[in-house]
Amino acid sequence: MHKPNLDEAADLSLKVVSLSRPSSFSGKIEDAHGKHKEFSAHVRIIAASHFLPFSIAVSEETPTEPYQWKVSRRSGHTAMYAGIRSLSDNPNADCTHVGWIGNYKDLKGEEHSCDDLSHDSRSNICKELEKYDAVPVFVDESTANGHYEGYSKQILWPLLHYMSWSDSNPMKPAWWDCYNKVSKTFAAAISAIYKEGDIVWIHDYHLLLLPEMFRALNPKATIGLFLHSPFPSSELFRSLPNRKEILYGMLGSTSIGFQTYSYARHFLSSCTRVLGLESTPTGIDNMGNMVAIGVFPIGIDARQVQERRSLPTVQTKMKSLREMFANKRIIIGRDRLDEVAGIKQKLEAFEKFLEMYPEWQNNVVLIQVTQPGQTRQPKLEAKISELVTSINSNYGSLEFMPVMYHHTFLNTDEYMALLNIADLCLITVIRDGMNTGSLEYVVCQQDKHSPLLLSEFTGTAGSVSGAIQINPWDYQGVAQAIDTALRMSPEEKKVRYKEMYRHVMNHDAQYWATTVIQDLRATVLAGQSSSVTPKLDMALFIKGFKASKRRMIMLDYDGTLTPITNIPAQALPPPEMLEALRTLCADPRNFVSVISGRDRAFLELHLGDIEGLALSGEHGSFIRYPGGEWINLLAEMDMSWKDEVLSIFEFYTERTVGATIEAKETSITWHFRNADPEYGEFQAKECMNHLENSVVSKRPVEILVGKKCLEVRPISVNKGEIVKRLMGANPKQWDFVVCAGDDKTDEDMFRSLRTIKRSVAGNVGGEEGQHAVSTSVGTGTNWSSTSMRLPPYYFTITVGPPDKRSAAAWHVSSSHDVVEALMLLAACDNAE
């Protein structure tokens, strides 16, 4: 189907163009595009952004409803829109764009909400946008205003850009409700066109709740989220009242992309500190689901910029500007009128420059163009006007003004002309997600190679190596940098420009979009190919229990029978778990034991009154059979190493706020769960190195790395040995075995049982037993799917995500699931 040329329409219908879409120019740009890889297999992509890249107006042919519509290109976010649009150019991809259509224009050019449009008029909008692979989302005016003008612009945008909220305009509860409602509307709209296997790619801070909401409707969906704005430090982000909801909303994604590594690092830190989740530099464990984290700096549509800068109309504007500023060096700046744009800092620095270098007075002009910001800021406008007046009064004359300040929309030709003739581009933003304007400037400077002064607080600063980085708050430093740039030799200009140009050409918007989608697909494929532990088959579990006559049930405590808590003493057994254990222990066919890392005093206090329950403490150092006394299995072992370990742990405890020591009879544990998450991990590694060099290399002990803890114990002690002891010399007597645990100490139990299972299966006569052996051996960490379903039934169960590396045959998600399974077994006993 032929699609209208919206780039042509844009020339006529747009007043503001911030050209930021990727490509390249003249032969070299085409070469850059040739590097973009095609997708190896066909992929269908649904891109979601707050606004569609289109605006609509009533067609002259239909002055009354139902209206027909004209579609034109919407201004702003052109880098994002160009990247999304470029995906459709890939022969192996189809891309549909979902977003809010906004208001429409009537025949007089006046804007109206779509709320009152008839069903037929809305249907015609959908039909018209279908030609552009776009699906509109209709949001009522009140909700749209609370979502966009309220929560997004008044709360999230300032927070993400390190700005404090205005006391005169506090957050309204209705804004948060609108933010939720819009995300739900988007989730429903995407679900209506979603097909299994599609990739859903969600953009920016307006839709941070959408990943979780969409996953609730489509649990197996591949969801990418890309945040175009900065992400602040955790210390600032945690001040957001809805911080947890926002983070969990984002973590509904399969993968989250950021502009820079620092933004990704701040997000990881927020998830660790606010939600208490485990993370690595490349991902977050969101309650069993690994969410990948990536860094993908966006580019611009260099081909589009090149085409526009070369138009005859632009050349005419360039000639006019050169005549207007003959014999003057031109510094340009173009920003939104926001606090974060750094316009005030730019003017202060320029005034300092004229003061420090009087030889440049009357020889340099700063052309500063601003356009409306996120919100109206009268105080900032007044301050900027005051600064402009002061500079022009002190350093100007009737014939010449050193600052030409334009608070207006520039048309595209004028903007391109300024970028072409500039002798210096000065960008002093104090916080910006990327700043694609600097990349447009590079494309337009192929003839002059003029320098770029770029704030170190832009996302672009980390990738445009040829730019001169500046601190906008250091007025004297910026002034010196302006002087240095204006005096720069042609040779140095060329070298610096070559570096910037290469980056812009090789990392355009098409490259960005393709890279994000390829990385997302690779993440999904990696998850599919990794070893996955199946979820516990409850039907088989119950079947095996009912069919058996001799049952062995072995259970870990912390993280298995009770959730992990920040304070270990608070991990108390829930009543339903105690009741299930009592019921199971009352059946003579069952042998039930709790094998824990806890000391025997704790186990005796909370579980000791359950008749028929066996207990093992300190990871197998002690055991108490039903009705018997505690047996110390390490009574003859030398424990003099404990003093050395204790002194090392005390050293790190004194230097790690929140860390504690748990001294047991046969082991010592250093807990850092309540310490600063990042510093705690760092100190744990340092402590571990210290122990390995000072103690482990000389004594018969080992270090066990647990969940937020380090434990030193005798090398001959582990839970696997207790399992062997409990199973006895004749393990064939047990035709139903259950073993559940959640951490590394429990892997010893799983490995021991896997060995026993193979031994028992090998001794079973007949074809069935031989098949069990052949399918069990050599399966790596996973059990054979066939042997798991044959008697004798061995259910080794790890608590955690399915992709957790474990020797267990099955998994459940939480300790709650373990207790539920025990309650089901207890119910079977009661029924009999």
Side-chain angles (χ1 to χ4, degrees), residues 21-132:
R21 310 190 334 235
S23 270
S24 326
F25 67 74
S26 50
K28 296 180 181 178
I29 290 191
E30 299 298 335
D31 294 342
H33 274 276
K35 297 177 183 178
H36 300 316
K37 296 181 180 179
E38 296 181 0
F39 297 127
S40 57
H42 189 270
V43 58
R44 186 169 178 265
I45 303 160
I46 301 174
S49 62
H50 175 244
F51 276 113
L52 281 175
F54 311 111
S55 56
I56 56 171
V58 175
S59 172
E60 293 86 349
E61 301 173 0
T62 54
T64 59
E65 289 205 72
Y67 298 129
Q68 297 296 326
W69 303 95
K70 296 186 300 182
V71 178
S72 58
R73 185 77 68 190
R74 185 185 297 276
S75 63
H77 303 292
T78 46
M80 176 183 72
Y81 292 151
I84 294 171
R85 188 169 63 249
S86 72
L87 294 172
S88 294
D89 298 333
N90 194 304
N92 284 329
D94 294 321
C95 185
T96 301
H97 200 148
V98 177
W100 183 43
I101 192 58
N103 295 330
Y104 73 92
K105 289 184 178 180
D106 62 17
L107 293 176
K108 298 179 181 179
E110 296 177 355
E111 290 195 357
H112 302 275
S113 168
C114 294
D115 290 2
D116 298 328
L117 288 176
S118 67
H119 177 272
D120 289 341
S121 290
R122 289 194 180 200
S123 179
N124 288 339
I125 293 175
C126 297
K127 291 177 182 177
E128 190 64 28
L129 288 173
E130 188 177 358
K131 300 174 183 177
Y132 307 97

Side-chain angles (χ1 to χ4, degrees), residues 347-362 364 390-391 394-395 402 475-476 479-480 482-483:
L347 293 171
E348 296 271 18
F350 184 68
E351 185 173 29
K352 175 63 70 173
F353 163 73
L354 295 176
E355 175 191 328
M356 292 174 60
Y357 303 97
E359 64 270 25
W360 286 113
Q361 296 175 15
N362 298 317
V364 174
S390 173
I391 295 171
N394 293 331
Y395 300 100
Y475 300 152
Q476 183 172 327
Q480 292 172 344
I482 294 173
D483 178 68

